[in-house]
Amino acid sequence: MSFIAKIIGTGAYLPERVLTNRDLEQMVETSNEWIVTRTGIEERRIARADEYPSTMGVEAAKRALADANIAPEQVDLILVATLTPDYIFPSTACLIQHAIGAKRAAAFDLQAACSGYLYALSMAKAFVETGAYCNVLVIASEKLSSITNYKDRSTCVLFGDGAAACVISAQGEGLAIEAIQLGADGEQANLLMMPAGGSRNPPSVETLAQELHFIKMAGNEVFKHAVRRMESACKDCLDRIGLVEEDVSWLIPHQANLRIIDAIANRFKHLPEERIFKTVQKYGNTSASSVGIALDELLKKARLKAGENILLTAFGGGFTWGAAVLRSVGERYA
Ligand code: UT7
């Protein structure tokens, strides 16, 4: 028996609190003008002290399950992509499994930085299409504000918090996951990282004094790699299934910087500007959650017809990157 993995429901959760560029002007030496022209970001959401990747993930998961019309007890596996887990262990996936009452589900976290949503989708597709599981709940949830140094203007203006979820199933209608292309290059690991907190540099008075528990990024270098890798991942992914640019209805790139999105858009000459979906202005870079939040928003806004292709792409620390093609199938799309 053959199975086709489909996204049959999506959800997202953004914290209420908004941190604007004007707020940041009061915190570090920056300006609304610099942030908007260099990044396109106008505001981002920041989780409350008592909101965590698990609690935000629970909200996004509940919305995705409701959208998919799937009960928590029907979930076979929960995959959580995050680089800001509640704890190093137990996994955030286990906390969410308990909170939503998905009693039958196995649960684990995976870490692929900003590419986490695509890495998780790829695993879900494999589990579903091999027949191992029927319903997989994928969640990406990040509290980047917990590892952002609000004294470092080169990073603190970029990041925001939020969560996204989707249900991948062998049954029902939705977006078929046609192809996924993933990649990694560990040689560039030090260009984007959090140096301490793991077992190599456990938390200590010294690591705290040296501010090693925050995101460190060589922004300029990362920028160049991000454009190159996302472009080639998109083209390789389309090639794999014999599609060309003209077959793409929507492009959802990782929402890190409007200039990166524009640079990728310039390489897709046939895709009209309005078909490149952007949320970076409102939410900043939410790492693993970024593509998932944008996908949920696109699906709630756009009326897809059957047979439309959505191209997703992401890039992040590791380095990691990926692209995926989703195709709308079934009567749900008129
Ligand atoms: O999600 C994972 C992937 N992450 C990314 O894709 C992020 C990739 N990188 C970027 O988005 C951009 O490189 C940044 C937005 C981080 C930086 O933009 P940039 O155009 O590459 O600026 P830069 O780092 O080359 O800095 C230019 C100048 C510097 O001043 P000097 O040395 O020229 O005097 C910085 O000190 O801008 C200064 N600067 C700022 N000025 C005002 C850096 N941050 C700020 C700031 N406000 N917030």
Side-chain angles (χ1 to χ4, degrees):
M1 200 164 164
S2 71
F3 300 102
I4 296 174
K6 279 165 268 140
I7 296 179
I8 62 164
T10 62
Y13 174 80
L14 278 311
E16 262 173 45
R17 188 181 151 210
V18 174
L19 182 69
T20 65
N21 292 348
R22 298 282 176 214
D23 296 331
L24 284 159
E25 285 176 352
Q26 311 302 313
M27 297 159 69
V28 283
E29 199 182 326
T30 191
S31 65
N32 176 53
E33 202 249 328
W34 190 95
I35 302 171
V36 171
T37 53
R38 296 296 183 114
T39 73
I41 301 167
E42 289 161 20
E43 55 186 47
R44 64 290 291 142
R45 301 298 180 90
I46 303 294
R48 294 189 312 263
D50 64 348
E51 279 185 309
Y52 318 105
S54 63
T55 59
M56 293 189 284
V58 164
E59 284 311 312
K62 284 181 177 167
R63 291 170 193 181
L65 288 168
D67 191 38
N69 202 16
I70 291 277
E73 299 77 23
Q74 292 173 272
V75 175
D76 300 302
L77 173 68
I78 300 175
L79 285 173
V80 175
T82 181
L83 55 78
T84 50
D86 286 35
Y87 307 109
I88 285 186
F89 79 95
S91 69
T92 301
C94 283
L95 305 181
I96 294 176
Q97 186 251 15
H98 171 66
I100 64 173
K103 291 192 168 44
R104 281 194 325 109
F108 67 94
D109 287 2
L110 72 90
Q111 207 277 80
C114 302
S115 312
Y117 190 83
L118 291 185
Y119 268 70
L121 269 192
S122 144
M123 295 194 79
K125 173 178 167 64
F127 277 120
V128 166
E129 294 189 352
T130 55
Y133 294 120
C134 182
N135 296 316
V136 179
L137 176 59
V138 161
I139 299 160
S141 189
E142 299 282 20
K143 188 172 179 177
L144 293 172
S145 58
S146 69
I147 57 165
T148 297
N149 184 352
Y150 287 97
K151 288 185 283 182
D152 173 9
R153 69 176 182 174
S154 71
T155 54
C156 74
V157 301
L158 304 173
F159 301 108
D161 301 332
C166 63
V167 179
I168 290 100
S169 180
Q171 292 162 355
E173 290 186 355
L175 299 171
I177 307 172
E178 293 287 318
I180 302 196
Q181 182 83 19
L182 302 176
D185 179 8
E187 198 181 344
Q188 314 293 342
N190 61 342
L191 294 181
L192 178 50
M193 72 184 318
M194 186 170 101
S199 58
R200 192 181 288 212
N201 295 311
S204 67
V205 173
E206 288 76 27
T207 61
L208 277 177
Q210 292 166 42
E211 303 191 326
L212 300 181
H213 297 269
F214 293 123
I215 301 169
K216 309 275 181 211
M217 177 167 71
N220 245 312
E221 281 299 302
V222 175
F223 190 114
K224 285 181 256 172
H225 287 278
V227 174
R228 207 166 345 116
R229 294 300 192 182
M230 283 194 275
E231 179 196 2
S232 61
C234 284
K235 296 205 160 147
D236 291 348
C237 195
L238 291 171
D239 270 357
R240 264 172 72 166
I241 48 172
L243 296 187
V244 291
E245 209 187 305
E246 288 83 339
D247 297 315
V248 176
S249 293
W250 291 96
L251 171 64
I252 304 183
H254 174 46
Q255 309 285 315
N257 184 323
L258 205 54
R259 284 160 54 221
I260 296 180
I261 297 175
D262 288 344
I264 297 167
N266 280 337
R267 287 157 170 82
F268 286 83
K269 300 277 179 227
H270 297 281
L271 204 58
E273 161 74 26
E274 65 276 11
R275 290 297 176 132
I276 297 162
F277 199 71
K278 298 163 198 163
T279 58
V280 67
Q281 307 91 317
K282 300 184 288 183
Y283 308 138
N285 181 349
T286 56
S287 189
S289 311
S290 120
V291 162
I293 291 171
L295 176 64
D296 178 64
E297 213 165 289
L298 170 69
L299 294 176
K300 309 265 139 86
K301 275 188 185 155
R303 286 187 67 85
L304 291 186
K305 294 196 275 299
E308 291 203 61
N309 295 306
I310 304 175
L311 180 58
L312 312 178
T313 186
F315 177 89
F319 288 150
T320 56
W321 59 85
V325 174
L326 311 176
R327 182 175 300 153
S328 48
V329 289
E331 286 170 16
R332 175 171 175 168
Y333 306 100

